[in-house]
Amino acid sequence: MSEVGRPRKRKEDARLLTGRTQWTDNLRQPGMLHVAFLRSPMAHARITRVDVSGARGLPGVVAVFGGQDLAEEQGSLPCAWPVTEDVFIPDHPPMAVSEVRYVGEAVACVVATDRYLAADALEAIEVDYEPLPAVVDLAEALAEDGPKVHEQGNKAYSMKIAMGDVDAAFRDAPVVIDRTFVQQRLIGAAMEPRAVVATTDGDSFTLWSSTQIPHVLRVMLALTTGIPEHKIRVIAPDVGGGFGTKLQVTAEEVLCLLLTRKLGKPVKWNESRSEGNLTVHQGRGQIQHIRLAAEADGRIRGLQVDLLADMGAYLVLLTPGIPLLGATMFNAIYKMDAYEFGCTGVFTTKMPTDAYRGAGRPEATFGIERIMDELAAELKMDPLEVRRRNWIRHEEFPYTTISGLTYDSGNYEAATDRALSLFGYDKLRAEQSDRRDRGDPVQLGIGVSTFTEMCGLAPSKLLGTARYAAGGWEHGSVRMLPTGKVEVITGTSPHGQGHVTAWSQIAADALGVPFEDITVVHGDTAISHKGMDTYGSRSLVVGGVAVLQACEKVREKARRLAAHALECSPDDLEFADGAFTVRGTDSRQTIQELAFAAFAAHDLPDGVEPTLDSDATFDPDNYSFPHGTHLCAVEVDTETGRVSIRSYVAVDDIGKVVNPMIVEGQVHGGIAQGIAQALFEEAVYDTEGNLLTSTLADYLVPSAADLPDFTTDRTETPATSNPLGAKGVGEAGTIASTPAVVNAIVDALRPYGVRDVTMPCTPERIWRAVEGARP
């Protein structure tokens, strides 16, 4: 039975769920010291004095440092995506030296023998601030005479791309829809807060971190601190969630490395949840101005997108590029004659933004799917019919879109038909009509989201043209042990996705060895020496393929040994079920037997090395493009604003599926996060730049009780961009679900004159929208 496609329970779950594992915060080192950071209470201010003397003599305190103490060695936190030639990347010291630009920025630190003593000692540090004006509103930030976050100004960059004749598309268009949508800021509330442990044995350093990117982090730590890369080892032990918020080179990682170098002892830092809400980079943060021109029959002529993107106070690792990941995706699955995209990155005195699950593609999908519903409403047409008239038909693949991407495969019709069947669309529309006729105060709304996304963050050549600092390749190694067992070493770094199980399934099929005989090693740069890590739904479609190709190399090495042992030509051998058989005979050798023969090396062909071990680096020729249709039915109480999701159906096409059980978990989790943006979550700042949602009492992360049951299914059109045929699933649910929910809410309220509700669609906002639309 093939392992690929089998719903295997995850190997890693037994130890993860029972706590028999190693998290960064569990680590203990002999003589370990603890670090606590004093953080700015002001969004924007000059630092006029830092007096740490009062903390130095306190019990348990080993050292205290202000920003000036580290100014010569701490460098500047990296931005790896200078998206334009003239992008402004301001210096970003890990610990502020002369000015703070967001609430929570570190201004001093205490190193003590106990984490609680370190935290208590922070109160003895005195800091004087000279307040400066906060910059919170995106539009006001660009005013010429307004306050500045940085002396050079508040514009990080501005760029525009255009395809086709945009002016002609809008000139005399029978229908022009013009809308502005807001993508609120989100806080990534991963199950495991961040934690760092750093040690040194003289001139070499080891850093454990709750990170998604151990390999990238190692490179960036070397570039930032000046410590030679070969003297740094980064380990990501089991990591409890990331969602992009651990795709970062953080101030705390750099500072812990510097502190262990200065003190010669291990140091540890772990954040509280409220500290994390202040200092983990945030997601989204856009104002989207979208114009769509169409014919009277609903066919799209042209699309214009103009974004104001909130960068926050600094450009961290990928900040400026995140909104641009949507630049080629606003056109989505639709055909059109012209397309224009513009984006201006704006500095504000808030925590920097960066990747959050979906990273640019949820924002783009939300914008296009919302305005497609607005087009349908303008034409008094069913939202699905408008989409059908514009989407790429299955027989047109491969298809090069107006934005220049080539979608290799897909079938939007099949996914939509399956979703409609599961959803009972016609019956729900009939019920909606009845409720409207009766004037029922609880209205039924139906939301549609037909989406595609760009996964894999590859190939490297395209990333280079986009000025992205790194490549899109991934590395995998396979070690055939003498006893026939297998070690797979992967450059990907999981934080809950199930790589150990899925990679074991891939290797089991490729090598013909039992699933149970395979182990997967990851997350340690001293063992997995090459990798680009985990983000952007790239792990399977890039990293999984690297493992597959390494397995194929093992098999070809084994073929030569088998031919020698069986005294035949390698071309006469057939490989199946883990064994080489001489064609037309019963002479055979298993690959596990050959592993021991290579180890013994008693009878090898001349010129053949005594090992089957192999590795591979895979760099795709194209992105992968999963797609799907999500349908949502909501009941909205127009008198109270309360929303309840009555039905949710998701049919995704993610190409070839390795493990259906893992896919289900990824889809469920993604939908939960997308619904959370639609209904619950928002990082709220006041006019002074204070974060008002710094605890989970104020920032509403939904629980299972707040979410409906999901009906999920799949269609399958394999990708042609990789030999697995996989397309990626980690972000699909998040990308598709937010517009489905908001479209459903607006659909319920259209009879009242409501055209939009700003997210999150809380009862208060819905009630105000209804009241504000009344005559």
Side-chain angles (χ1 to χ4, degrees):
M1 179 181 178
S2 174
E3 283 290 344
V4 171
R6 189 175 175 185
R8 280 279 193 180
K9 288 186 177 181
R10 302 197 321 178
K11 283 184 173 183
E12 50 268 65
D13 281 355
R15 60 184 176 79
L16 294 177
L17 294 173
T18 57
R20 298 195 305 271
T21 185
Q22 190 66 275
W23 313 100
T24 305
D25 191 31
N26 287 346
L27 289 168
R28 302 290 184 271
Q29 296 290 315
M32 185 169 71
L33 303 174
H34 295 261
V35 184
F37 293 100
L38 183 66
R39 301 189 180 276
S40 170
M42 307 191 72
H44 198 196
R46 290 189 184 92
I47 301 171
T48 58
R49 183 178 72 100
V50 178
D51 184 354
V52 300
S53 59
R56 284 192 170 129
L58 294 177
V61 173
V62 174
V64 189
F65 301 99
Q68 286 286 356
D69 300 317
L70 302 175
E72 297 302 315
E73 58 185 303
Q74 66 176 337
S76 179
L77 292 176
C79 173
W81 204 341
V83 293
T84 63
E85 288 187 5
D86 59 350
V87 62
F88 171 47
I89 302 177
D91 286 340
H92 183 189
M95 187 179 290
V97 176
S98 59
E99 191 169 325
V100 291
R101 293 181 172 89
Y102 64 91
V103 172
E105 190 168 2
V107 296
C109 67
V110 172
V111 186
T113 55
D114 177 272
R115 63 179 293 188
Y116 302 105
L117 292 175
D120 289 344
L122 295 177
E123 297 181 7
I125 299 175
E126 296 180 6
V127 183
D128 291 340
Y129 298 97
E130 179 185 317
L132 295 169
V135 179
V136 177
D137 183 88
L138 282 180
E140 293 177 1
L142 295 177
E144 290 187 8
D145 57 350
K148 296 179 180 180
V149 181
H150 300 280
E151 186 176 346
Q152 184 168 322
N154 294 338
K155 186 165 77 170
Y157 68 91
S158 185
M159 70 166 297
K160 182 171 286 190
I161 57 175
M163 292 85 169
D165 191 335
V166 177
D167 290 339
F170 279 84
R171 189 184 306 120
D172 301 323
V175 181
V176 175
I177 308 293
D178 191 321
R179 297 287 187 271
T180 298
F181 304 123
V182 177
Q183 286 277 324
Q184 78 271 36
R185 278 173 165 252
L186 302 176
I187 297 172
M191 181 184 294
E192 179 198 13
R194 294 177 301 153
V196 182
V197 174
T199 66
T200 179
D201 60 3
D203 66 345
S204 296
F205 301 85
T206 300
L207 185 132
W208 289 264
S209 181
S210 176
T211 181
Q212 297 175 219
I213 53 166
H215 298 90
V216 173
L217 178 58
R218 182 192 190 202
V219 173
M220 293 300 175
L221 287 174
L223 295 174
T224 302
T225 65
I227 298 171
E229 184 183 353
H230 67 293
K231 296 293 187 179
I232 301 174
R233 178 184 183 183
V234 175
I235 302 172
D238 289 314
V239 175
F243 313 112
T245 60
K246 293 174 183 173
L247 168 56
Q248 197 53 257
V249 178
T250 69
E252 294 82 7
E253 289 163 332
V254 173
L255 292 169
C256 283
L257 193 61
L258 296 179
L259 290 171
T260 198
R261 182 171 69 176
K262 291 179 77 71
L263 301 174
K265 292 186 177 182
V267 300
K268 179 179 185 178
W269 169 79
N270 53 289
E271 71 181 3
S272 67
R273 182 64 68 180
S274 56
E275 188 178 22
N277 278 18
L278 280 174
T279 60
V280 170
H281 76 244
Q282 296 173 4
R284 314 294 189 248
Q286 287 183 7
I287 298 175
Q288 304 174 324
H289 183 203
I290 303 177
R291 298 178 71 230
L292 183 145
E295 303 287 1
D297 63 358
R299 188 184 69 81
I300 301 171
R301 293 171 55 145
L303 180 69
Q304 287 181 305
V305 176
D306 188 24
L307 303 183
L308 288 182
D310 192 343
M311 304 284 98
Y314 300 97
L315 304 183
V316 289
L317 193 64
L318 304 178
T319 304
I322 296 303
L324 305 186
L325 285 171
T328 54
M329 298 307 298
F330 271 93
N331 51 281
I333 66 173
Y334 306 116
K335 297 179 285 188
M336 59 191 68
D337 301 324
Y339 171 55
E340 181 179 271
F341 172 90
C343 179
T344 300
V346 183
F347 289 114
T348 58
T349 52
K350 293 181 274 188
M351 183 65 203
T353 57
D354 207 311
Y356 179 72
R357 196 170 190 170
R361 288 103 74 212
E363 297 93 311
T365 300
F366 182 86
I368 186 64
E369 289 303 287
R370 281 290 294 114
I371 207 160
M372 289 299 286
D373 259 33
E374 295 302 296
L375 174 62
E378 179 71 19
L379 296 175
K380 297 181 172 52
M381 188 180 294
D382 185 280
L384 276 167
E385 181 57 29
V386 165
R387 288 164 169 82
R388 283 192 179 99
R389 293 188 183 189
N390 286 284
W391 68 33
I392 304 157
R393 298 187 306 274
H394 70 276
E395 65 269 16
E396 295 179 283
F397 289 95
Y399 186 90
T400 300
T401 70
I402 187 68
S403 64
L405 293 179
T406 299
Y407 297 171
D408 62 325
S409 67
N411 192 327
Y412 310 138
E413 303 97 309
T416 301
D417 289 346
R418 181 61 181 149
L420 289 172
S421 174
L422 294 169
F423 192 63
Y425 186 82
D426 292 339
K427 185 176 180 181
L428 285 167
R429 283 293 184 201
E431 181 184 342
Q432 179 187 60
S433 178
D434 179 62
R435 288 195 186 200
R436 288 179 175 179
D437 291 344
R438 290 188 284 108
D440 193 326
V442 179
Q443 287 289 308
L444 180 66
I446 299 168
V448 177
S449 176
T450 52
F451 81 104
T452 190
E453 59 161 320
M454 175 182 69
C455 287
L457 205 61
S460 297
K461 288 182 179 179
L462 281 182
L463 295 178
T465 62
R467 305 176 65 85
Y468 183 72
W473 53 266
E474 193 49 79
H475 186 74
S477 301
V478 175
R479 298 173 184 158
M480 288 295 301
L481 304 181
T483 55
K485 310 306 181 185
V486 180
E487 289 179 341
V488 172
I489 300 89
T490 178
T492 65
S493 189
H495 40 282
Q497 294 93 333
H499 293 185
V500 171
T501 301
W503 281 212
S504 294
Q505 291 178 267
I506 292 168
D509 277 359
L511 299 174
V513 301
F515 172 81
E516 295 76 14
D517 286 355
I518 302 169
T519 189
V520 178
V521 181
H522 57 80
D524 184 341
T525 61
I527 298 172
S528 169
H529 69 288
K530 289 178 66 176
M532 278 296 177
D533 305 316
T534 294
Y535 41 85
S537 299
R538 69 184 302 274
S539 294
L540 179 63
V541 299
V542 190
V545 174
V547 169
L548 174 64
Q549 291 183 337
C551 289
E552 291 170 345
K553 289 184 178 181
V554 168
R555 218 166 54 211
E556 289 311 301
K557 280 189 174 182
R559 180 181 294 275
R560 291 189 64 185
L561 295 189
H564 179 73
L566 298 171
E567 300 180 339
C568 68
S569 167
D571 295 335
D572 292 334
L573 291 174
E574 297 175 336
F575 183 80
D577 300 324
F580 292 95
T581 305
V582 180
R583 191 176 288 107
T585 76
D586 58 1
S587 297
R588 66 196 300 270
Q589 284 248 290
T590 69
I591 198 168
Q592 292 177 301
E593 291 169 338
L594 293 166
F596 192 85
F599 164 74
H602 295 160
D603 182 23
L604 298 181
D606 292 340
V608 172
E609 60 181 356
T611 179
L612 298 183
D613 297 356
S614 298
D615 63 356
T617 302
F618 177 63
D619 196 346
D621 295 326
N622 195 6
Y623 302 97
S624 64
F625 300 97
H627 68 84
T629 296
H630 288 217
L631 302 174
C632 178
V634 300
E635 292 183 335
V636 182
D637 189 328
T638 60
E639 295 177 343
T640 66
R642 182 177 182 273
V643 174
S644 60
I645 298 178
R646 178 167 142 179
S647 176
Y648 196 101
V649 169
V651 176
D652 291 289
D653 191 323
I654 59 168
K656 184 70 175 178
V657 172
V658 172
N659 188 315
M661 191 177 295
I662 290 176
V663 167
E664 286 295 301
Q666 289 287 310
V667 171
H668 281 211
I671 294 172
Q673 283 184 268
I675 291 175
Q677 179 175 6
L679 296 181
F680 304 111
E681 296 186 25
E682 182 178 21
V684 179
Y685 288 83
D686 67 15
T687 56
E688 299 301 314
N690 297 300
L691 181 67
L692 303 181
T693 52
S694 60
T695 74
L696 294 187
D698 307 301
Y699 186 84
L700 179 54
V701 177
S703 70
D706 300 304
L707 299 167
D709 290 334
F710 307 130
T711 300
T712 61
D713 202 354
R714 290 181 298 279
T715 56
E716 184 175 308
T717 52
T720 63
S721 56
N722 66 77
L724 278 174
K727 294 185 175 181
V729 70
E731 296 158 302
T734 305
I735 291 169
S737 56
T738 306
V741 174
V742 176
N743 277 340
I745 292 168
V746 175
D747 183 57
L749 300 178
R750 282 200 191 278
Y752 297 82
V754 175
R755 297 195 310 184
D756 191 34
V757 179
T758 302
M759 295 186 293
C761 301
T762 61
E764 179 187 357
R765 284 180 175 171
I766 290 171
W767 181 84
R768 289 188 182 279
V770 173
E771 291 299 307
R774 293 185 190 278

